[in-house]
Amino acid sequence: MDLITGNPLWPHTSNVKKRYPRLEEDIECEVLVIGSGMSGAMSAYMLTKAGFDTVLVDSREIAGGSTMANTGLIQFFNDKTLTSCIHTYGEENGVAFYKLCEDAVRTLGRICEEEGIDAQFQRRESLYMASAEADVPMLEEEYRTLNKYGFEVEYLQPSDIADKFSFTKPGAILASGDAAINPYACVNGLIEVSAARGMRVYARTEIDSRLETANGTVFYTKERRRIQAKYAVYSTGYETQEMKRNRNAKLLTSYAIATQPVGEFPGWYKECMIWETARPYLYMRTTADGRIIVGGEDEDMLPEEERINRLAVKTDILLDKAKALFPELDLRAEFSWAAVFGETHDGYPLIGVQDGFPNSMFSLVYGGNGTVYSVLGAEMIVNRLQGLTHPGERLFRFDRPRHTPPASEVKHVG
């Protein structure tokens, strides 16, 4: 699948020197992780740290897929508001979901710090702003719900927004506990740390077929190399839908730009991350080197040629929206890209086992909080192989009851 069109920012900002070989021999392992994006890298990291003999393979270079298009907003906020989660799944499950995501943000920061991974992890606040007056009642209700269950949030009136920003809106929620990250550097760092602990890593190694045996699964690469694995973890992202279609999954096209380094950001309170209630919607963040990333303008899944044709127009739209919020800044788009983006109809990721794949788990972190879900998926996988339970199992399993939320509930942050 052609996942990315255009020129994404991250490979230009990360000095990644480590390269990994193609698999040239038959091997055995305890766990085979397929896919080197955020979900694969995090699963491989936690498995290796837990003592499992782990092999990681990817058909591309490491972090060469959707990771490069990830805009690196790390939030406990989700595609479904907490209020909607409670209405759909009940108070216990809805609150548990948000608490798990809040914990995962902290876990990601702790991993980067403890392992010395230079992923530009920075704690940030988030501004969730009403795009129109009609959105205020929903936003106020969500604030009350978040506040009730102990999340650190503040409700801003239009005058409060005007005091902190160069724009105003009918209302907004200012939330603490989120973060920004360089996802490309994070993935490469996780894999490098894991490789130093003994994990074997093979790039440009595409799995072509598999054969179930009494001792696990034998995987064959396109070059007919053989990998005997006791367990397998599929972290194959959006391309999984070409292998096994999930009715709960939906693929879209999303767009993003990165400006030239700006340096200072007058009228931007604490350089907090910004997103809005409108659908499709705008989201923004700053980077460690002083750029602004602007994303959104999602639409139905398009083939690569059509994405190429639409990228210039979408670039101008996103840039104009950023200029409207921050008119004092002289902005130009230095990087722009379009990418395949996946979400689920019910707003939760897909993590767990699937029929037809014995001794295997899938970590399909579809939705706006893919990096956060990657942490949860890795925890669930390690727990399962250790014979332990995880509270996310009942929430994210593939056979959960299906619910299709109204379009007003859906968002994503890359």
Side-chain angles (χ1 to χ4, degrees), residues 82-108:
L82 176 55
T83 305
S84 296
C85 288
I86 291 172
H87 288 166
T88 303
Y89 297 110
E91 180 181 33
E92 181 181 356
N93 287 345
V95 175
F97 177 42
Y98 263 63
K99 291 294 184 181
L100 284 170
C101 291
E102 186 180 45
D103 289 343
V105 177
R106 289 193 288 264
T107 297
L108 179 61

Side-chain angles (χ1 to χ4, degrees), residues 161-378:
I161 300 170
D163 287 342
K164 297 177 182 295
F165 297 90
S166 60
F167 58 85
T168 191
K169 293 289 178 178
I173 297 173
L174 186 64
S176 300
D178 293 334
I181 200 170
N182 180 327
Y184 186 74
C186 184
V187 166
N188 278 280
L190 287 168
I191 293 174
E192 188 169 345
V193 166
S194 302
R197 289 196 173 115
M199 182 180 76
R200 289 166 284 172
V201 185
Y202 300 100
R204 306 176 306 284
T205 299
E206 183 174 354
I207 300 299
D208 182 64
S209 60
R210 61 188 173 90
L211 175 66
E212 306 300 336
T213 72
N215 299 317
T217 307
V218 178
F219 293 87
Y220 295 93
T221 71
K222 274 203 167 182
E223 289 74 29
R224 306 313 295 168
R225 299 303 181 186
R226 184 177 180 272
I227 306 173
Q228 172 74 53
K230 187 175 181 181
Y231 306 105
V233 174
Y234 288 86
S235 296
T236 42
Y238 311 136
E239 291 172 304
T240 309
Q241 298 310 306
E242 295 182 326
M243 178 177 64
K244 182 175 177 63
R245 183 78 175 92
N246 300 114
R247 292 190 305 164
N248 198 1
K250 180 181 180 182
L251 299 185
L252 303 169
T253 298
S254 189
Y255 301 87
I257 64 171
T259 71
Q260 85 283 14
V262 175
E264 296 183 356
F265 303 94
W268 194 331
Y269 177 71
K270 293 185 178 180
E271 295 181 38
C272 68
M273 300 183 295
I274 297 172
W275 56 290
E276 63 175 343
T277 56
R279 300 297 182 266
Y281 71 98
L282 181 80
Y283 61 93
M284 301 175 61
R285 58 159 289 196
T286 62
T287 66
D289 61 347
R291 302 174 189 271
I292 300 174
I293 292 178
V294 190
E297 288 294 307
D298 295 2
E299 56 188 354
D300 290 341
M301 176 74 169
L302 297 173
E304 184 180 26
E305 184 177 347
E306 290 188 43
R307 295 202 305 264
I308 293 172
N309 293 336
R310 295 178 67 80
L311 182 56
V313 173
K314 294 292 187 176
T315 296
D316 290 342
I317 291 173
L318 292 173
L319 188 62
D320 287 344
K321 288 184 175 181
K323 290 178 177 178
L325 292 176
F326 299 102
E328 295 182 33
L329 300 179
D330 181 19
L331 301 177
R332 57 181 173 81
E334 191 166 303
F335 299 91
S336 63
W337 61 98
V340 177
F341 171 74
E343 62 185 19
T344 58
H345 291 290
D346 64 9
Y348 282 14
L350 296 164
I351 303 171
V353 299
Q354 292 201 76
D355 291 339
F357 294 84
N359 306 309
S360 300
M361 288 192 70
F362 287 75
S363 182
L364 306 185
V365 294
Y366 297 176
N369 271 356
T371 301
V372 169
Y373 301 155
S374 295
V375 175
L376 298 176

